[in-house]
């Protein structure tokens, strides 16, 4: 059965304030000009048409979405679109302490925070910035203002953070946090990505099981996407595993990605991008836009029938993970 395409990951900027070594956004030489970035009203127009075609969940990403100056306005406009049931956001958390309350007040439903280590020194080594404590305060603030469920995404980096798998798992015992262990995608040509080893999520799972004995399957997680969820005994949060490398989940993929230049990728692995911005700026009607978006969704269904082959490369720092 064809999966319903109901989820859009929307990258609002290609810029980021951190420089994670496997993503390297600050070393990009080809940042988009302001004029090449879709304006908020243009994005709202695309999302309106997509909502009419079945998209009901929106995830705002980047670059870093919290450096986008009108991010709170964006959240509230997206929330008002008919058919959009949920607006969530993926962030590195650096500005969360200051912004969590306003984001929630503007209608943000929930938040994912990318955090590869719980050790301040290591955080600086991975991201280039010494601000772990501030990110942690942002996480606490998000819980306080009710941005639930809160997910922490940890990329499994071989030889770098594998000794923290237990510490991350332990967080779920005391806190209402869903921790997700994610295998590194090799969608980028970057040497840093190609040279970084990734652990398999099954290895992370084995590490946790050998410490705690048992993990209990947990089906009831909001926005569970491609992750498999488990729980430790009497834990408040859950533990998820996303196996980009070791298991392909193309057949069940329900998502489109649009970058900040208005290019839609039906699939992270196909490398094919449709340019919606060009169409909008050529004076197209909503009906013209709808025709293109319908075509993209059909194209995605075709791709879902194939196996996942990485034939071209898309940068995570542009499409936002
Ligand atoms: N700045 C925001 C953040 O840090 O969450 C959003 C953009 S960032 C590109 C989104 C996610 O993509 C982060 O969790 C990051 O770790 C992840 N990411 C970047 N490169 C990746 C790769 N090669 N494989 C898997 N995840 C990757």
């Amino acid at each position: 059965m064809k999966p319903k395409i109901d989820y859009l990951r929307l990258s609002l900027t290609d810029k980021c304030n951190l420089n994670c070594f496997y993503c390297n956004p600050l070393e990009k030489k080809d940042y988009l000009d302001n004029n090449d970035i879709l304006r908020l009203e243009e994005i709202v127009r695309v999302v309106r048409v997509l909502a009419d075609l079945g998209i009901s969940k929106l995830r705002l990403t980047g670059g870093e979405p919290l450096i986008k100056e009108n991010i709170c306005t964006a959240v509230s406009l997206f929330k008002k679109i008919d058919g959009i049931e949920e607006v969530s956001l993926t962030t590195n958390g650096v500005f969360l302490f200051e912004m969590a309350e306003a984001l929630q007040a503007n209608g943000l439903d929930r938040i994912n925070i990318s955090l590869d280590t719980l050790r301040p020194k290591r955080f600086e080594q991975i991201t280039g910035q010494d601000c772990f404590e501030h990110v942690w305060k942002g996480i606490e603030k998000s819980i306080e203002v009710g941005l639930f469920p809160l997910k922490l995404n940890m990329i499994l980096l071989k030889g770098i953070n594998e000794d923290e798998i237990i510490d991350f798992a332990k967080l779920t015992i005391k806190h209402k946090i869903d921790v997700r262990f994610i295998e590194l995608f090799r969608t980028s040509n970057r040497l840093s990505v190609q040279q970084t080893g990734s652990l398999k999520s099954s290895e992370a799972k084995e590490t946790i099981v050998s410490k705690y004995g048992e993990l209990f399957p947990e089906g009831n997680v909001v926005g569970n996407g491609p992750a498999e969820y488990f729980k430790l005994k009497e834990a408040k949060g859950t533990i998820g595993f996303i196996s980009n490398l070791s298991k392909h989940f193309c057949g069940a993929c329900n998502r489109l990605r649009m970058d900040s230049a208005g290019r839609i990728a039906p699939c992270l692995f196909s490398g094919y991008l449709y340019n919606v911005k060009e169409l909008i700026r050529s004076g197209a009607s909503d009906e013209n836009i709808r025709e293109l978006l319908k075509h993209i969704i059909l194209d995605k269904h075709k791709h879902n029938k194939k196996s996942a082959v990485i034939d071209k490369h898309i940068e995570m720092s542009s499409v936002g993970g």
Side-chain angles (χ1 to χ4, degrees):
M1 207 173 72
K2 284 195 267 183
K4 186 165 187 281
I5 309 303
D6 58 1
Y7 176 41
L8 175 69
R9 291 183 74 95
L10 190 53
S11 173
L12 296 174
T13 171
D14 60 338
K15 300 191 179 68
C16 189
N17 53 318
L18 295 186
N19 195 31
C20 300
F21 72 91
Y22 57 87
C23 193
N24 279 146
L26 293 184
E27 270 140 56
K28 269 173 67 140
K29 305 241 170 355
D30 49 353
Y31 283 122
L32 293 165
D33 287 341
N34 272 350
N35 197 35
D36 288 328
I37 293 180
L38 273 195
R39 292 187 294 273
L40 186 52
E41 63 272 21
E42 292 172 318
I43 304 175
V44 168
R45 192 170 171 207
V46 177
V47 175
R48 245 191 224 121
V49 179
L50 276 171
D52 201 41
L53 292 171
I55 294 286
S56 59
K57 289 178 273 184
L58 212 56
R59 171 164 296 278
L60 311 182
T61 176
E64 173 48 44
L66 296 190
I67 63 175
K68 188 85 183 163
E69 68 287 348
N70 51 6
I71 182 71
C72 286
T73 312
V75 169
S76 74
L77 288 177
F78 295 142
K79 272 296 276 198
K80 286 182 194 131
I81 294 176
D82 265 356
I84 296 297
E85 290 161 13
E86 183 188 270
V87 178
S88 60
L89 186 140
T90 294
T91 174
N92 57 38
V94 174
F95 300 113
L96 256 189
F97 181 70
E98 292 78 12
M99 297 178 71
E101 208 164 348
L103 287 165
Q104 200 270 347
N106 277 279
L108 189 72
D109 291 293
R110 56 192 186 87
I111 201 149
N112 286 6
I113 297 153
S114 309
L115 189 67
D116 299 331
T117 176
L118 301 170
R119 301 183 190 177
K121 193 97 210 107
R122 189 174 281 174
F123 183 95
E124 187 177 357
Q125 283 157 357
I126 294 175
T127 68
Q129 292 284 329
D130 176 13
C131 54
F132 172 80
E133 307 292 352
H134 199 65
V135 170
W136 192 256
K137 273 169 61 184
I139 292 172
E140 289 175 334
K141 185 63 143 191
S142 304
I143 295 175
E144 192 186 309
V145 303
L147 287 170
F148 286 127
L150 184 138
K151 292 183 183 165
L152 281 193
N153 290 340
M154 188 254 217
I155 308 290
L156 291 161
L157 303 164
K158 207 178 185 86
I160 293 174
N161 61 6
E162 60 198 281
D163 52 350
E164 294 189 66
I165 291 169
I166 294 296
D167 293 342
F168 271 90
K170 225 192 263 174
L171 283 178
T172 65
I173 299 177
K174 270 209 203 135
H175 302 277
K176 207 171 163 223
I177 288 178
D178 297 324
V179 167
R180 305 195 305 171
F181 296 101
I182 302 178
E183 293 173 358
L184 192 73
F185 272 109
R186 298 203 187 281
T187 53
S188 166
N189 277 329
R190 281 171 196 280
L191 204 57
S192 57
V193 173
Q194 296 303 332
Q195 286 179 341
T196 306
S198 179
L199 289 185
K200 287 201 183 127
S201 60
S202 57
E203 295 174 87
K205 194 169 164 192
E206 274 160 31
T207 304
I208 298 168
V209 170
S210 62
K211 164 84 181 168
Y212 289 104
E214 206 172 350
L215 270 173
F216 301 92
E218 173 77 18
N220 198 14
V221 176
V222 178
N224 59 357
E228 289 177 307
Y229 281 96
F230 299 87
K231 229 175 170 175
L232 290 172
K233 204 171 167 198
E234 288 170 16
K236 290 193 179 141
T238 64
I239 297 175
F241 299 97
I242 302 188
S243 316
N244 315 317
L245 274 180
S246 47
K247 283 187 202 165
H248 295 316
F249 30 73
C250 284
C253 179
N254 63 342
R255 60 195 57 189
L256 295 178
R257 292 175 163 84
M258 182 161 86
D259 76 2
S260 52
R263 292 172 295 208
I264 294 188
C267 167
L268 195 54
F269 296 106
S270 81
Y272 197 85
L273 296 168
Y274 289 89
N275 196 324
V276 183
K277 181 184 71 197
E278 258 174 29
L279 185 66
I280 292 183
R281 294 192 181 170
S282 70
S285 66
D286 280 0
E287 198 41 47
N288 299 142
I289 299 172
R290 189 185 160 86
E291 280 312 304
L292 176 64
L293 296 175
K294 260 170 77 178
H295 174 81
I296 296 173
I297 291 171
L298 275 177
D299 187 30
K300 177 165 183 71
H301 282 309
K302 274 192 229 144
H303 180 84
N304 279 356
K305 287 193 199 133
K306 298 181 201 156
S307 60
V309 178
I310 304 173
D311 51 6
K312 289 200 189 116
H313 293 96
I314 290 182
E315 295 296 343
M316 288 294 196
S317 56
S318 303
V319 294

